[in-house]
Amino acid sequence: MASALRVLGVDPGLTRCGVGVVDVARDRSASLVHVGVVRSSPDLPIERRLHAIAEGIRAVLDEHRPDVVAVERVFAQNNRHSVMGTAQASGIALLVAAERGLPAHTHTPSEVKAAISGYGAADKRQVQTMVARVLRLDALPQPADAADALALALCHAWRGGGAAPAAGGGALTPAQRAWADAERGARR
């Protein structure tokens, strides 16, 4: 894809940290570059787990050379232990981006769901299905952490992360058109 924006999406987690790289063209069409999960063992001390996540993200950055990093913004959860690990993994992703001089941005789960499906309360299956459609994949991306990382990358590119909408909006999906309309309405 000529003049595509390459985005690394990171769905932070201590045990499974989803990573997905997409190229998004100016007409907002997208293609899959890489998808995977960086894992760390719950048996390791926290500093070793965070190191493993950092090394995994660095490896993706080295291999795929994205232009920007998009990370899920950590939201309050009922389980404090879970939110703490997610926040730590998020901080690692942001730190590694800064080490490489890459811009990094965060997006809430609702923003990502709305950008991908047109509905901010979409379930995981709906997000996976839309990611598969947008990227023209034969199967749903698995596990859900990996699909969420791809959704983050797409969300960032479509929300003004560098890929401009096509003239006249003709190449936009219905979800993309709904998102663009909502953004225009919010600016009024």
Side-chain angles (χ1 to χ4, degrees), residues 1-148:
M1 255 186 215
S3 73
L5 177 71
R6 182 163 284 185
V7 184
L8 166 61
V10 179
D11 181 42
L14 268 181
T15 303
R16 289 181 323 272
C17 182
V19 291
V21 181
V22 297
D23 283 341
V24 181
R26 292 180 89 36
D27 68 359
R28 298 174 82 134
S29 62
S31 63
L32 175 66
V33 175
H34 171 80
V35 65
V37 176
V38 176
R39 297 181 188 274
S40 76
S41 172
D43 300 332
L44 293 175
I46 187 66
E47 69 274 11
R48 300 304 313 153
R49 296 182 79 184
L50 294 172
H51 181 262
I53 291 166
E55 288 302 303
I57 294 171
R58 285 184 186 113
V60 172
L61 290 172
D62 290 343
E63 184 173 346
H64 301 291
R65 307 242 182 253
D67 302 307
V68 63
V69 177
V71 181
E72 183 176 291
R73 184 178 301 153
V74 178
F75 253 50
Q77 298 174 352
N78 292 334
N79 183 340
R80 287 181 209 228
H81 181 72
S82 176
V83 77
M84 189 63 138
T86 302
Q88 290 168 326
S90 176
I92 291 297
L94 295 168
L95 172 70
V96 171
E99 287 175 347
R100 302 298 168 93
L102 293 171
H105 303 271
T106 61
H107 301 281
T108 67
S110 296
E111 290 170 339
V112 174
K113 291 173 183 179
I116 297 303
S117 72
Y119 178 54
D123 64 30
K124 290 223 180 257
R125 179 87 172 173
Q126 289 170 311
V127 171
Q128 286 175 300
T129 300
M130 287 306 295
V131 167
R133 281 186 190 157
V134 168
L135 295 175
R136 296 169 305 285
L137 304 176
D138 293 332
L140 299 182
Q142 296 288 340
D145 309 283
D148 289 349

